[in-house]
Amino acid sequence: MTISIGHRQAVPLDAERRAMYDAVCERLDPDRFRDLLVSLINIHSPTGRERQASEFMADYLTKSVGIDAHYQPMSEHTGNVLGERRGTGDGSRLLLYAPIDTHIDPEADVPWVGPALRPDMLPRAVVDGDLVIGLGASNPKCMVAGLTEVVHAVVDAGVPLRGDLALGFAGGGMPVSMSTRDNVGMSSGVFHLLTHGGMPDHAVVFKPWWAVYPEEPGMCWFKVSVRGTFGYAGISRGTPGFRSSIVPAATVIQEIEAWLPEYTARNTSGSTIPEGWIAAVRSGNPDKPAFPSATTEIYLDVRVNPRTTPAEVRHQFADLVIRIRAAHPDIELDWEMYGSLPGGMTDPDNWIIQSCRRGWEEVEGRPYETTPLLGGQTDGTLIRRLGIPCARIGYPWPPAAAPAELNEGLGGMGVASINDVMTATRAVVYAVVDTLTRTREELDL
């Protein structure tokens, strides 16, 4: 499914800006991008443990790219990177942003990510022609390397910027909350980055999918607890006073699973399709299989359209629970919403959205007409909620040439196409030149 775009601002590059754009694109270096991507993959940076990767990038931006940059610690183990190339001062400040944390802890996530770790789940880079394979190769490491390459090329071309070009990479970008790591996650890093010197006039988030998005969903996390009694394997079925929590939980799971598509259809609008998935079920102690658990917990993530509040989604879920209780009065359950983040949106007519779409058109050589529906959440959601006009743009995902076995499940996160990413960086270059060579007044700021 796709949606039509709205009003278009016809602001083509003039001859001077066209020359600047061409000069930057000529200096985009796929080999330099590949080498940085390999280095980043080889630095393990799971959510809550991003310090080494962030410090590496701060050093790289300073010594290799030649811009002012520093590491921004949040704790002993995690922190962000913020770099900047200043303009003449009468333009806007544009932040190019990507998270830097990965979604898998190889030492702890088997069998939850599969029976064994595949090459795309290991923090060890492998280059295979146009492909780079390794944990986070496509998301987020190639995003970090891609935006860095954009800034590197801008510096090499000596483009006379009026506005300030900022570059930010943050930890805590994955939609998780690491309870054993200071609860890092759910955009904790980008919030710190923006409130500690990173606040821009506009932002561009580099993420998968070759399209320009003015909005992204938020998320609500729910826990449903199905109650029974603490049991014993030697008790006969039907004995008064003993009832399972696990077996009734299977019925509750089926009811939730039937409701989720209804929720998605009811709340789809704009370019957001808010999906939902049951993610975890927890009950009992595997060291004590003789003692069935009195509680079985069901965890799920329900995405939130930016036109809907988490509170409204909570009410919709409460209605589901009422239905389940009415249909199954013998099942005892309670529930809570234990995490939430509202969706975010930017006016599609805003300068940065239109500029990125013009960049897309420049690369594609055709008009930008539709935006595919999307349910993925990024730090762009919080950036928008903080009042910053933000465009999300990216690259085809997963790569067409990726091995089929690496596209199973959440495939593609660890496989990046050098050509795809480098093609997409040209659209980002367009937005940089288009935006930062004008005064704030020209951008209606």
Side-chain angles (χ1 to χ4, degrees), residues 78 230 275 333:
T78 185
F230 188 55
E275 302 281 3
L333 63 86

Side-chain angles (χ1 to χ4, degrees), residues 70-90:
H70 65 277
Y71 173 66
Q72 188 184 73
M74 292 179 61
S75 72
E76 180 184 354
H77 303 291
T78 185
N80 311 317
V81 188
L82 184 60
E84 189 168 39
R85 181 174 179 82
R86 293 284 182 91
T88 58
D90 58 348

